[in-house]
Amino acid sequence: MSNQRIETKCVQGSYTPGNGEPRQIPIIQSTTFKYATSEDMGKLFDLEAEGYFYSRLQNPTCDMVARKICELEGGTAAMLTSSGQAANFFAVFNIANEGDHVVAESSIYGGTFNLFAVTMKKMGIDFTFVSPDCSDEELEAAFKPNTKAVFGETIANPALRVLDIERFANAAHRHGVPLIVDNTFATPVNCRPFEWGADIVTHSTTKYMDGHGSAVGGCIVDSGKFDWMAHADKFPGLTTPDESYHGITYAERFGQAGAYITKATAQLMRDFGCTPSPQSAYLLNLGLESLHVRMARHCENAMAVAKFLESSDKISWVFYPDLEGNVDNGLCKKYLPNGSCGVVSFGVKGGRKAAENFMKHLKLCAIETHVADARTCCLHPASATHRQMNDEELKAAGVSPDLVRLSCGIESAEDLIDDIRQALESV
Ligand SMILES: *Cc1c(COP(=O)(O)O)cnc(C)c1O
C-alpha cells in the first residue's frame, strides 16, 4: 500500500477484502466482543495482546478508517475521535499536564482558541499565542522551560493564514518538543505536514474528509518521528511507568511508532470516552473515497470565485492564499502547490452591515456554521464562530468585522459567481 499514490489510497487504503468478503468496509455495530476465557480478556486489558473488548476504547470499523487516514498522512499510528475538538484536546492533553505550557499560533480556529485559552487554562495548562507574522526572536521568546508542544493549523480557519511548517517545526525541535499541526483545511491531498517536519497531525474530519455534512468527527495521526525517550524528563507520561496499566512505560513497550497513540487510546479514550460511532466512521470513509477528486474541484472553484471577487468594485478586499500578491502566496506555493482549499474570505464595501445584507441575498450559497462541504456555504465569523472574542482577539486571529467566509463547494463555478453577482447587486 505504501508505494501507491494518494488517489489510490483515498479509494482503497487500509481495507483489502479476502475472497467472498464484503467489498465495502463492514460496520461492526457492537459495543462489546466475546472471549472464551477470562485470561484471554485479561491480556487485552494489560495491553499484552491486540484485540477488541469494548467500543469506547477501540472498534474495528473506526480503526480501519483511522488506518486509511494514517496512510494518507504517511504516519505510523492513528485514532479517530468523536469530533475535531476532541482530537485537538487529546493531541495536546496527551503530553501536557497541569503546570505545563504550549506555544500556539494565534490565527487558529475560534473553537480551538477557546479550548486552549479558556477551558484548558482552567485545567492549569498555559498557552502563549504567537502571530503568524512574528519574528524569529518573538517565536523563540514564546518558549518556556515547561513548554511541551507547539500548535498551528496548516491553513487557519477562517483567517486562511498558511503556517510556515518547517520554521515552526525547527523552533519546536530546538526546544525538544513536538509540532502538532491541524491539517483540516488542506487535507493530506494538498499537504502532508510530516514531510515538512511536523510530528503529530490532527483533523476535524467533519470538514473536507467527510465532505457531505453528514458526520462530526476527528482524527489524530502520529508520524512516529518524535523521540520521546531523548526528552524523557519533559514527557513522563510516555517515558515512566503508567500505574493504571500495571507499570507499562509506553515509549519502551510501543516504541516511537506507537507510544503516543497507544497512550491516548488507553488513557484519554478510556477516561473521557470521546469515541466515534462505527456508523459515523463508515460515512467518513465514503467521503475519503472521493477526497482527492473533490479537493481539486474545491480549489478550482475557489480560484474562479476569488478572481471574480477581485474584479468586483463592490468588494474591498479578497483573501485567498493562492492569489498572487497574497501575504502567504510564497508559503502557499511551497506547502500547497496543488491548491490550498475551497475557502475564500473577503470584505464587502460598506463594512459589517453590508456584509450581513449581502449574505441575506444569496440564494445558492447557504448561511451555515460549517465549511468544507460539497455544497457552497458562507458565514460571518464576527457574529457566529468568533463571537466570544473581543476586538483585540479578533484582530490577533485575523478576523475583521466585515469578513465573509465563503466555502466554495463542488457545484458549477459559473453558478456560484452568478449568485454572488446578483447578491452584490442587491446590496
Ligand atoms: C471545525 C474545526 C475544528 C473543530 O472540529 P469539530 O469537528 O467541529 O469538533 C478544529 N479545527 C479546525 C481547523 C476546524 O476547521
Side-chain angles (χ1 to χ4, degrees), residues 177-244:
V177 301
L179 172 66
I180 304 172
V181 173
D182 181 332
N183 198 31
T184 297
F185 265 29
T187 83
V189 171
N190 283 346
C191 178
R192 288 173 297 283
F194 295 157
E195 293 172 3
W196 301 102
D199 302 284
I200 291 144
V201 156
T202 61
H203 282 280
S204 165
T205 63
T206 317
K207 312 295 166 51
Y208 289 115
M209 284 190 167
D210 170 273
H212 300 79
S214 57
V216 172
C219 186
I220 310 173
V221 188
D222 182 10
S223 67
K225 286 187 198 156
F226 195 84
D227 189 349
W228 307 106
M229 278 305 194
H231 307 283
D233 54 321
K234 280 193 196 295
F235 305 104
L238 285 152
T239 61
T240 61
D242 176 2
E243 292 316 325
S244 70

Side-chain angles (χ1 to χ4, degrees), residues 254-276:
F254 301 99
Q256 241 171 267
Y260 177 88
I261 292 294
T262 306
K263 176 181 181 288
T265 304
Q267 292 179 345
L268 303 185
M269 207 50 110
R270 176 195 63 190
D271 296 347
F272 292 100
C274 308
T275 191

Side-chain angles (χ1 to χ4, degrees), residues 83-86 88 109 112 153 155 157 182 184-185 204-207 216-218 371:
S83 68
Q85 287 296 109
N88 283 329
Y109 174 65
T112 309
E153 294 174 6
I155 307 168
N157 172 13
D182 181 332
T184 297
F185 265 29
S204 165
T205 63
T206 317
K207 312 295 166 51
V216 172
V371 279

Side-chain angles (χ1 to χ4, degrees), residues 390-416:
N390 62 37
D391 279 2
E392 214 157 83
E393 287 168 342
L394 272 181
K395 210 175 141 215
V399 179
S400 59
D402 65 341
L403 184 150
V404 174
R405 179 184 73 183
L406 183 74
S407 168
C408 298
I410 54 176
E411 306 94 336
S412 147
E414 284 74 27
D415 286 341
L416 298 182

Side-chain angles (χ1 to χ4, degrees), residues 3-136:
N3 290 330
Q4 288 172 344
R5 285 152 189 86
I6 197 152
E7 294 84 352
T8 307
K9 289 178 184 175
C10 281
V11 182
Q12 298 218 16
S14 86
Y15 175 63
T16 309
N19 205 25
E21 285 178 0
R23 188 69 189 98
Q24 184 51 283
I25 64 167
I27 303 172
I28 313 289
Q29 191 68 50
S30 183
T31 57
T32 190
F33 301 82
K34 171 192 172 287
Y35 288 92
T37 70
S38 302
E39 236 182 349
D40 290 344
M41 181 165 284
K43 283 186 186 142
L44 299 176
F45 270 94
D46 290 352
L47 302 180
E48 279 172 10
E50 275 196 49
Y52 296 94
F53 54 98
Y54 191 54
S55 284
R56 168 156 36 84
L57 282 99
Q58 280 184 285
N59 170 279
T61 308
C62 299
D63 280 356
M64 265 184 270
V65 181
R67 271 203 305 279
K68 181 185 271 192
I69 297 173
C70 191
E71 284 182 19
L72 295 176
E73 289 286 5
T76 56
M79 68 195 288
L80 295 189
T81 57
S82 54
S83 68
Q85 287 296 109
N88 283 329
F89 172 55
F90 279 18
V92 173
F93 197 60
N94 203 32
I95 47 176
N97 297 305
E98 185 186 12
D100 287 340
H101 171 262
V102 174
V103 176
E105 209 255 89
S106 62
S107 64
I108 55 171
Y109 174 65
T112 309
F113 180 86
N114 204 62
L115 168 69
F116 290 173
V118 181
T119 301
M120 290 183 80
K121 193 173 168 57
K122 283 185 203 157
M123 301 168 82
I125 300 170
D126 201 23
F127 288 79
T128 297
F129 294 93
V130 293
S131 158
D133 301 313
C134 68
S135 66
D136 287 344

